[in-house]
């Protein structure tokens, strides 16, 4: 009698352990995206601060809508990354402008290997227009989305074809770097530094962000491989309870050791993302002619928009990304 029960339990445990890391895999992790959008508010100039502060809950909650859309919209997934190596051996050789890149590679190639710098530019101009139209609903929607894509562009593994360490036998590295590290350590990070700055050229700036992220890919991969070689294997993972389920995750000690090896790279990229998000919001407001924000009301979502958001939420809960994971 005992034998099949044990077998079933073993299988169930194995299944849960397989499923959980998959469910937790998101870009920057929901935790970090929300924190980036929320903290970006505090880097804004006074003229923008009160409107954004009044709507901090929306900007935080909707920081991850873009990730959820990947479950409903087949075009969404590639907007979050760019696999630089699948374009050129050197990032500088990729045409800066969307039109030139389409001419060189064809749109299909772009949709397959990622479009994050062009997506940042696109949403930036959507935000400028929303400011010009004094449309507070769209201002907040595009601000939340822009914050998301800028956040993604700051993650080194969002700029590489080895996006999960899968090409070097390090599968799971993506969520480890961008979810586990910030979730364990963000409270110790020094994330707020400068005030928002004006960005002259949003597309060029997006490429600069991608370039800096891409430069760090080698360190992200090599250092984890090195740590894995020297760390006691039985101490690499730990088990934690989330709600009613037990999940397998990298241990605190392993996570801290990786963070130290990288000299606080996650902290630096997260901090840079916060400043960058605020700077894009600020620049869009300037480019729109600095509309007076005090008269703008807090957000009221239309019935249509609510329906759309509910549909995305439902698809997201069903748990199937259209396209690739990270
Ligand atoms: Zn994303």
């Amino acid at each position: 009698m005992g034998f099949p029960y044990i077998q079933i339990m073993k299988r169930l445990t194995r299944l849960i352990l397989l499923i959980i890391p998959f469910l937790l895999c998101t870009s920057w992790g929901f935790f970090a995206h929300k924190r980036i959008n929320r903290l970006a508010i505090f880097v804004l100039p006074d003229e923008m601060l009160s409107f954004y502060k009044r709507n901090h809950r929306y900007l935080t909650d909707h920081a991850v809508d873009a990730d959820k859309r990947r479950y409903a919209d087949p075009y969404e997934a590639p907007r979050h990354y760019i696999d630089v190596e699948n374009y050129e051996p050197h990032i500088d050789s990729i045409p800066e402008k969307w039109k030139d890149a389409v001419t060189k590679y064809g749109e299909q190639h772009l949709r397959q290997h990622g479009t994050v710098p062009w997506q940042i530019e696109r949403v930036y101009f959507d935000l400028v227009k929303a400011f010009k139209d004094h449309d507070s609903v769209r201002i907040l929607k595009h601000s939340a989305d822009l914050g998301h894509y800028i956040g993604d562009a700051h993650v080194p593994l969002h700029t590489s074809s080895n996006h999960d360490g899968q090409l070097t036998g390090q599968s799971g590295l993506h969520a480890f770097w961008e979810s586990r590290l910030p979730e364990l350590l963000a409270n110790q990070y020094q994330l707020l530094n400068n005030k928002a700055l004006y960005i002259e050229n949003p597309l060029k700036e997006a490429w600069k962000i991608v370039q800096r992220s891409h430069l760090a890919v080698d360190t992200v991969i090599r250092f984890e491989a090195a740590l894995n070689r020297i760390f006691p294997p039985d101490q690499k993972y730990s088990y934690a309870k989330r709600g009613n389920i037990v999940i397998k995750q990298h241990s605190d000690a392993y996570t801290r050791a990786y963070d130290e090896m990288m000299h606080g790279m996650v902290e630096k990229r997260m901090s840079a993302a916060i400043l960058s998000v605020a700077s894009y919001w600020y620049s869009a407001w300037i480019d729109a002619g600095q509309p007076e924000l005090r008269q703008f009301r807090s957000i009221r979502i239309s019935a249509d928009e609510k329906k759309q958001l509910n549909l995305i939420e439902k698809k997201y809960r069903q748990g199937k990304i259209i396209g690739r994971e990270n």
Side-chain angles (χ1 to χ4, degrees), residues 44-112:
L44 288 169
D46 290 345
E47 302 94 310
M48 297 180 77
L49 195 59
S50 67
F51 173 71
Y52 275 77
K53 254 190 184 168
R54 271 204 308 278
N55 293 291
H56 72 96
R57 187 156 294 170
Y58 178 95
L59 290 161
T60 308
D61 289 347
H62 294 267
V64 291
D65 281 5
D67 270 346
K68 291 181 179 175
R69 284 200 295 270
R70 296 177 306 162
Y71 295 75
D73 178 352
Y75 294 103
E76 185 59 40
R79 295 173 183 153
H80 299 244
Y81 61 84
I82 180 160
D83 294 344
V84 168
E85 305 89 338
N86 290 340
Y87 281 88
E88 300 288 342
H90 298 289
I91 190 169
D92 291 344
S93 311
I94 307 173
E96 188 182 288
K97 292 186 175 146
W98 169 263
K99 204 164 57 86
D100 300 336
V102 169
T103 309
K104 188 168 178 181
Y105 309 105
E107 200 164 328
Q108 180 56 30
H109 187 93
L110 272 63
R111 301 246 179 253
Q112 190 181 346

Side-chain angles (χ1 to χ4, degrees), residues 243-259:
N244 286 328
I245 39 177
V246 174
I247 60 158
K248 184 184 175 186
Q249 62 183 11
H250 291 90
S251 67
D252 287 10
Y254 193 81
T255 307
R256 286 182 204 282
Y258 185 45
D259 191 57

Side-chain angles (χ1 to χ4, degrees), residues 31-319:
F31 168 85
H33 271 301
K34 288 181 176 199
R35 187 153 291 196
I36 288 169
N37 268 14
R38 184 160 62 79
L39 292 182
I41 295 169
F42 298 95
V43 193
L44 288 169
D46 290 345
E47 302 94 310
M48 297 180 77
L49 195 59
S50 67
F51 173 71
Y52 275 77
K53 254 190 184 168
R54 271 204 308 278
N55 293 291
H56 72 96
R57 187 156 294 170
Y58 178 95
L59 290 161
T60 308
D61 289 347
H62 294 267
V64 291
D65 281 5
D67 270 346
K68 291 181 179 175
R69 284 200 295 270
R70 296 177 306 162
Y71 295 75
D73 178 352
Y75 294 103
E76 185 59 40
R79 295 173 183 153
H80 299 244
Y81 61 84
I82 180 160
D83 294 344
V84 168
E85 305 89 338
N86 290 340
Y87 281 88
E88 300 288 342
H90 298 289
I91 190 169
D92 291 344
S93 311
I94 307 173
E96 188 182 288
K97 292 186 175 146
W98 169 263
K99 204 164 57 86
D100 300 336
V102 169
T103 309
K104 188 168 178 181
Y105 309 105
E107 200 164 328
Q108 180 56 30
H109 187 93
L110 272 63
R111 301 246 179 253
Q112 190 181 346
H113 299 293
T115 59
V116 71
W118 299 297
Q119 181 64 12
I120 290 172
E121 184 196 31
R122 214 182 86 187
V123 183
Y124 177 81
F125 285 111
D126 287 343
L127 180 58
V128 173
K129 181 154 190 325
F131 273 124
K132 281 185 179 165
D133 295 343
H134 294 201
D135 182 339
S136 56
V137 174
R138 300 238 91 74
I139 290 170
L140 291 168
K141 181 192 168 357
H142 296 316
S143 292
D145 279 350
L146 188 56
H148 182 96
Y149 296 118
I150 292 167
D152 278 353
H154 278 81
V155 177
L157 292 178
H158 275 256
T159 68
S160 173
S161 54
N162 192 12
H163 48 85
D164 195 27
Q166 80 283 7
L167 304 177
T168 41
Q170 295 164 279
S171 291
L173 182 56
H174 195 103
F176 179 43
W177 192 99
E178 65 170 30
S179 295
R180 181 71 176 120
L181 266 84
E183 279 175 26
L184 182 69
L185 303 166
N187 286 338
Q188 299 160 31
Y189 287 165
Q190 178 65 42
L191 294 171
L192 292 179
N193 298 309
N194 297 316
K195 278 270 165 203
L197 301 164
Y198 180 70
I199 295 164
E200 290 285 343
N201 185 325
L203 180 59
K204 263 197 203 322
E205 181 64 22
W207 277 109
K208 261 191 222 161
I209 295 166
V210 169
Q211 236 159 12
R212 280 184 213 123
S213 290
H214 192 62
L215 269 177
V217 170
D218 187 49
T219 305
V220 169
I221 289 169
R222 259 186 326 112
F223 282 23
E224 201 278 332
L227 181 64
N228 186 47
R229 276 195 297 275
I230 58 166
F231 207 83
D234 60 330
Q235 291 168 36
K236 184 175 173 182
Y237 294 102
S238 62
Y239 295 90
K241 228 178 150 198
R242 287 209 180 185
N244 286 328
I245 39 177
V246 174
I247 60 158
K248 184 184 175 186
Q249 62 183 11
H250 291 90
S251 67
D252 287 10
Y254 193 81
T255 307
R256 286 182 204 282
Y258 185 45
D259 191 57
E260 264 168 43
M261 261 181 123
M262 290 191 296
H263 298 292
M265 186 205 282
V266 174
E267 177 182 26
K268 285 177 203 153
R269 292 313 283 154
M270 213 171 152
S271 170
I274 290 162
L275 178 62
S276 184
V277 168
S279 298
Y280 270 92
W281 290 346
Y282 170 57
S283 307
W285 175 72
I286 296 270
D287 285 355
Q290 305 180 40
E292 174 59 70
L293 297 180
R294 246 173 308 186
Q295 77 222 29
F296 289 2
R297 303 227 155 263
S298 295
I299 188 161
R300 217 170 275 137
I301 304 172
S302 69
D304 261 7
E305 190 129 20
K306 213 171 229 170
K307 218 168 116 188
Q308 186 67 16
L309 283 170
N310 286 341
L311 182 74
I312 289 167
E313 191 68 30
K314 201 174 139 202
K315 296 257 183 194
Y316 164 66
R317 301 246 162 245
Q318 286 166 357

